[in-house]
Amino acid sequence: MGFDRMTPVQASCIPLFVGHKDVVVEAVTGSGKTLAFLIPIVEKILRLDERTKKHHVASIVVSPTTELARQIHQVLSALLTFHPPSKSALDSEEHPERLQNRVEQERGTGEEKTERQIYPAKTSVVLPQLLVAGDVSPAQDLRRFLQNSPNVLIATPGRLLDLISSPHVQCPQSLFEMLVLDEADRLLDMGFKDNLQKIIQRLPKQRRTGLFSATVSEAVDQIIRVGLRNPVKIAVKVKGLDASQKLPSIQKLLSFIGPAPLKTIIYLSTCAAVDYFQHTLPLLLPRRNEQTFSLVSLHGKQQQKIRQKNFAKFANSTSPIILLTTDVAARGLDIPQVDLVLQIDPPNDPKVFLHRCGRAGRAGRKGLSIVFLQPGREEDYLQFLDIRKTPLSTFSQAWADTSDQDARAAAEKMREVVLTDRTLHEKAQRAFVSWAKAYSKHQASSIFRLADQDWADLGQAWGLLKLPKMPELRKFDGDKSLGVQVDWDVYGYKDKVREQNRQKIMVEVGIVEKDVTRQAASRKNVKRAWSQKHDQQDERVTKRTKRQKKRESERWESMTGEERKKHQQLEAMIQQVRQMNQQTDDFEDFAD
C-alpha cells in the first residue's frame, strides 16, 4: 500500500502513528482525516507477527454519529479492496481461520472447492465491523462479532460500550493497536463524555491513540489528559471557498440565472447586518435587460411605518426587486411571486430553515432556495438537515463560481462607499459583532464554530476598514487593520452636526492632554529629596487621565444623535445638583 498524493493531515499523521506515538489532530472536515487514521490501522494490522486471534480486537474507531461511522466503514471497505486476503474475508464475512477450516473440511469430504481464493491460515487480514443504532440490536451485534470475529470496530459510543462490555470480546495488551476518537469535539457536544471514559477504562493502557477534532476546546483537552500519553499535536488549516466569495456569488447568480427572478429574498442573521448591507449590497447588484435590481430592507428594529412601506414596495413590485431581511420575514407573511430565496446565514433554529425556503415557489409556482455554506465543517449542515427530513442537493453551476479577484473587487466597492461616511463604518462594526454573537449561539454549535473562521477573510467579506474590538479576536495575531490605510483623524461623518461635534471633541481632548502633560512635566522639574515618588504618582495620574479622556472620546463618537442629546441632558442635571449642593447652608442643629 502506498502513500502517494496524501493530504497534509495524512502526511503528518501516518509517520507518527507508525512510529508508536499518540497524536492530537486539529483539522476541519474534508482535510483527509479519515485516511490519516485508516491507513495506519491497516498497515499496523497487516504487519503483525501473528494473525489476530478469534474474538480479539486490534483497533477501534469511535464516531459521534451513525452517518459518519457508516462513511468511515465504507472508506475502509473500499481501501481493503486493494488487499485481496482482506477483501476475501470481508466478502465472506467470516474470520479467516474459520474460512480456512471450512474449506479444508470441504476438501476432506470431496465437496466442490469454493470459488473464493483461499489464503494461508497465517495471512494477516483486516476485517471491520460496523456498530451503529438502527440496523440491528446490541444482541445481534454481539452474535455477529462472535460469528465473524472482526479485528476492527467502527462504532458510535453507546453501541461500542455495549459490545466491549461483554466478556467474550477481548482487547489484549499484546495485540491491541490503536484507538481513534474521530470528531472528538462533537463527541463531547453530543454528551458522550461518560461513555468515552468508560470505553478508555476498558482498553489497554499501552496503546496508540489518535484524537481528531476541528477545535481543541477545554473539554477535549480533558480527554487528551486522560486518554493520551505525551501526544504530538498537529494543526492543519484547509482553505476552501472563502466567506468573502458569498456576495460575488450572489452577483453572478443574479446575472446569469434565467429567467431573471422577479422577487428575491436574502436572509441575514441580525438586524444590524441588514442595516449595514442595505447600503453596500446595491453596489454589487447586476443589470439585466437594462434593468437594475432595486433593494429594500426589513428587520425587527425598524419603525413600524418604515417596515410597512418597505414590505408594500416589495410585495407590489412589478420589476426585479430584492428584500434584505432577517427571520422577521421567514413566516406569517404572504408574499406573492417570490422566485428566489438566498440564505447567506443559515438560521439558528433549523425549523426556520423550512419556513425561509417556503417563501419561494408558492401556489404552484416554481421557486429556488439556496443556502451558502463554506466547505469543511459547515457542510455537515447538509447531514444535519437530512436527519431532520430536509434533504438538500448541491447547487453546482459553473457560472456561479467566484475567484479571489472577484472577492477583492467586491470588498473594494463596499469600502469605497463606507469611506464616504463614518456612520457606515460604525454600522459595519456593530453588524460584524452582532453576526459573530449570533454565529456562536447557533443550535448546531458543533458545526458552526467561530474558532474555524478566517477573520481576515471575514473582514474582507464585510468590506470592513478594520476588525472591531471583541473578545473573540483576542487570540487573533493577524493584521486587524486588514491592510486598509485610513486617516482616522480626517475620516468624518456626512452628517454635519455629528462631524462638527467630532472635531470639537478632538480639539478638546488634544488640549487637555497637552495641559496635563505640561503640568506633570513642570512638577517633575522641582528638585526635592522625596520628589521621585511623587513624580511617579504624577505620571500615573497623567496616563490615567489620558486613558479616561480617550475612552470618553470613543464613547461619544459611538453615540447616536439621540444618545448624545440624552447624555448632555444628564450632565446638565448633575451640574445643577452640584450647584445646589454648594449653595446649601451647612447643617448646625434642629433648632428653629
Side-chain angles (χ1 to χ4, degrees), residues 449-546:
R449 291 181 176 270
L450 277 179
D452 297 340
Q453 298 301 312
D454 182 340
W455 292 105
D457 183 69
L458 282 170
Q460 179 167 285
W462 288 66
L464 301 183
L465 303 181
K466 65 178 181 180
L467 291 174
K469 294 180 180 179
M470 50 193 290
E472 293 81 0
L473 286 171
R474 286 173 184 166
K475 295 183 179 180
F476 176 71
D477 57 359
D479 180 12
K480 292 186 178 180
S481 70
L482 302 173
V484 182
Q485 300 296 324
V486 179
D487 188 340
W488 295 97
D489 292 337
V490 176
Y491 182 35
Y493 299 98
K494 265 189 176 181
D495 184 275
K496 294 182 179 179
V497 175
R498 292 195 70 184
E499 179 58 20
Q500 288 174 357
N501 288 333
R502 186 186 74 86
Q503 294 184 7
K504 181 181 178 182
I505 293 169
M506 286 178 58
V507 173
E508 289 177 350
V509 172
I511 292 175
V512 170
E513 288 184 352
K514 291 178 181 177
D515 287 346
V516 172
T517 304
R518 191 182 302 115
Q519 291 171 10
S522 64
R523 282 195 293 270
K524 287 183 180 181
N525 289 332
V526 179
K527 302 298 182 181
R528 298 176 183 175
W530 44 268
S531 64
Q532 185 175 4
K533 179 179 178 180
H534 289 272
D535 285 346
Q536 291 175 347
Q537 287 181 331
D538 291 340
E539 185 176 354
R540 286 195 294 270
V541 171
T542 300
K543 290 181 179 179
R544 187 161 57 246
T545 304
K546 285 183 178 181

Side-chain angles (χ1 to χ4, degrees), residues 212-387:
F212 292 77
S213 178
T215 55
V216 180
S217 62
E218 183 176 344
V220 173
D221 193 54
Q222 293 177 6
I223 297 295
I224 295 173
R225 290 196 296 269
V226 173
L228 285 77
R229 295 171 294 122
N230 299 319
V232 176
K233 294 188 177 181
I234 301 169
V236 179
K237 302 296 182 182
V238 178
K239 189 174 181 63
L241 181 69
D242 297 324
S244 58
Q245 293 175 325
K246 287 185 178 181
L247 294 185
S249 295
I250 291 178
Q251 184 182 29
K252 288 195 173 183
L253 184 66
L254 294 175
S255 297
F256 295 101
I257 192 171
L262 177 62
K263 294 176 182 175
T264 301
I265 300 179
I266 298 179
Y267 285 101
L268 297 171
S269 58
T270 69
C271 299
V274 173
D275 189 38
Y276 165 62
F277 278 112
Q278 67 176 326
H279 299 282
T280 56
L281 186 57
L283 300 173
L284 307 179
L285 298 179
R287 292 178 60 90
R288 293 193 63 166
N289 300 325
E290 302 302 321
Q291 281 189 322
T292 58
F293 287 84
S294 57
L295 184 144
V296 294
S297 64
L298 189 69
H299 61 79
K301 292 186 178 180
Q302 286 176 332
Q303 294 180 1
Q304 186 65 27
K305 290 183 179 180
I306 295 176
R307 277 197 286 174
Q308 291 176 348
K309 177 182 177 182
N310 288 354
F311 176 74
K313 181 178 180 180
F314 178 75
N316 299 326
S317 178
T318 57
S319 59
I321 189 171
I322 295 173
L323 178 66
L324 190 65
T325 185
T326 61
D327 286 333
V328 71
R331 64 175 75 183
L333 297 179
D334 185 14
I335 309 173
Q337 297 180 316
V338 175
D339 299 311
L340 180 62
V341 169
L342 302 176
Q343 303 186 49
I344 296 181
D345 299 327
N348 182 287
D349 185 349
K351 294 179 182 178
V352 177
F353 185 87
L354 279 177
H355 291 291
R356 287 181 173 186
C357 297
R359 299 299 97 198
R362 298 167 69 90
R365 184 183 178 91
K366 288 185 178 180
L368 176 64
S369 179
I370 300 175
V371 59
F372 291 83
L373 301 172
Q374 293 173 238
R377 179 165 289 272
E378 284 193 8
E379 288 184 317
D380 290 346
Y381 192 60
L382 299 176
Q383 296 179 359
F384 180 82
L385 291 174
D386 189 54
I387 294 172

Side-chain angles (χ1 to χ4, degrees), residues 64-201:
T65 66
T66 297
E67 293 73 24
L68 184 56
R70 290 185 191 279
Q71 179 180 312
I72 295 170
H73 184 266
Q74 290 171 359
V75 173
L76 179 55
S77 300
L79 189 64
L80 294 177
T81 59
F82 297 97
H83 185 250
S86 296
K87 183 178 184 300
S88 178
L90 183 63
D91 290 343
S92 66
E93 290 193 347
E94 290 189 64
H95 189 266
E97 185 176 350
R98 288 190 58 203
L99 178 62
Q100 187 75 22
N101 292 339
R102 181 173 59 80
V103 173
E104 293 296 334
Q105 291 175 1
E106 291 175 357
R107 287 175 178 171
T109 57
E111 295 181 12
E112 184 178 355
K113 182 179 178 180
T114 178
E115 293 182 358
R116 293 190 180 91
Q117 182 179 1
I118 305 303
Y119 296 90
K122 292 185 178 180
T123 301
S124 295
V125 298
V126 177
L127 182 60
Q129 180 175 344
L130 179 66
L131 304 170
V132 294
D135 293 340
V136 295
S137 66
Q140 290 172 313
D141 281 336
L142 179 59
R143 189 181 305 116
R144 183 178 177 188
F145 176 85
L146 296 176
Q147 178 182 349
N148 300 328
S149 195
N151 52 14
V152 177
L153 302 179
I154 300 171
T156 51
R159 279 302 179 92
L160 175 62
L161 188 57
D162 288 338
L163 185 74
I164 64 175
S165 297
S166 169
H168 302 291
V169 180
Q170 304 295 319
C171 299
Q173 180 79 58
S174 59
L175 292 176
F176 190 82
E177 287 295 324
M178 198 178 301
L179 168 66
V180 172
L181 303 177
D182 192 22
E183 303 284 0
D185 49 344
R186 296 178 67 185
L187 283 167
L188 296 175
D189 285 345
M190 298 172 70
F192 293 128
K193 182 178 179 180
D194 291 341
N195 282 348
L196 290 178
Q197 291 177 338
K198 292 176 182 178
I199 289 169
I200 291 173
Q201 290 172 359

Side-chain angles (χ1 to χ4, degrees), residues 390-407:
T390 310
L392 301 180
S393 58
T394 304
F395 184 75
S396 55
Q397 295 288 342
W399 45 259
D401 294 339
T402 58
S403 63
D404 291 340
Q405 184 177 355
D406 295 327

